[in-house]
Amino acid sequence: MTILVFGQTGQVARELARQAGVTCLGRADADLTDPAACAAVIASRDAHAVINAAAYTAVDKAEKDAETAHLVNAAAPRAMAQACAAKAVPFVHISTDYVFDGHGATAWKPDDPTGPLGVYGASKLAGEEGVRAAGGAYAILRTSWVFSAHGNNFVKTMLRLGTDREALNVVADQIGGPTSARSIADAVLRIAKTLLDDPDGTGTYHFAGAPDVSWADFARAIFTQAGLACAVTDIPTSAYPTPARRPANSRLDCSTTTTTFGIAPSDWRAELALVLADLNKRGTS
């Protein structure tokens, strides 16, 4: 079985690259700012399934770069999904909790009304709509708070700051499920293989780490597991303004993912331990 993955250096793509039968495409192979080129790559390859693990993820930068964000996050996945539909190849697309407005305290279900707060979320939502409209077998997997031993993410930022400082202020009124890139990679591979046998699984799903936690409490857990004596003070989002608004409630209801694919939410505490072990092994943070 051959699975074609758009993305090469991102957190999830790097985890997918470890798997047999997976071919990861970098920018030199398929530039996501050229949707037609992405579609042409799919048309020219004999893949059994396609996974889009690439995205424009600079949330704050997107506020002033909406054109690029929409090309990469909306136009490119739409073109990919259309190319997959034309070849009857399942398409799995990774999306985000940012498609919701973050109100309330109830975990979001896949069919809940969306309402992105900024350009990034709007571009990802437009990408979802394009995938659904393509007419092929697909799965959209929304996830949240991705972390790994690769690239830039909250865990690595906290490790860097926690090593140099005795105390940090961290936002405590945003709640979500930290999700390891490794567990996301496992999930999308399983979903892609399931869709090959049963395209009736087509739809939108959620996958996130458990239990839900605030950024501040997540930071405390990182410091505890890493053995860093860095104190965390809770602050509200208003005390840490950013160009793009973040959803306060990023809780995701993953029950349909478990029912349909047998994939349960990952325990982010166990996944964090694996990431820290990986970083320690390589002597990096």
Side-chain angles (χ1 to χ4, degrees), residues 4 61 72 79 160 173 206 249:
L4 193 65
K61 184 180 178 182
V72 174
R160 185 181 72 252
D173 56 359
H206 289 169
N249 176 23

Side-chain angles (χ1 to χ4, degrees), residues 66 84 88 95 111 133 166 171 180 191 206 219 234-236 258 260-261 281:
C84 285
S95 193
D111 58 355
E166 294 182 353
V171 170
S180 73
I191 290 170
H206 289 169
D234 293 2
I235 62 170
T258 302
T260 306
F261 301 105
K281 184 177 181 180

Side-chain angles (χ1 to χ4, degrees), residues 48-52 77-78 80-86 88-95 110-111 125-142 187-188 190-206 260-261:
H48 294 93
V50 176
I51 296 171
N52 180 30
R78 179 175 64 246
M80 294 176 198
Q82 290 170 344
C84 285
V89 171
F91 180 61
V92 181
H93 176 62
I94 300 173
S95 193
D111 58 355
L125 180 59
E128 291 186 6
E129 293 166 346
V131 171
R132 295 188 192 100
Y138 72 87
I140 294 167
L141 190 70
R142 295 176 182 145
V188 293
R190 185 165 180 173
I191 290 170
K193 292 173 182 177
T194 301
L195 287 178
L196 276 169
D197 297 326
D198 184 11
D200 288 342
T202 286
T204 302
Y205 299 92
H206 289 169
T260 306
F261 301 105

Side-chain angles (χ1 to χ4, degrees), residues 158-169 223 228-231:
M158 289 299 101
L159 290 173
R160 185 181 72 252
L161 296 177
T163 300
D164 298 332
R165 303 183 188 180
E166 294 182 353
L168 287 173
N169 297 329
F223 296 146
L228 295 175
C230 183

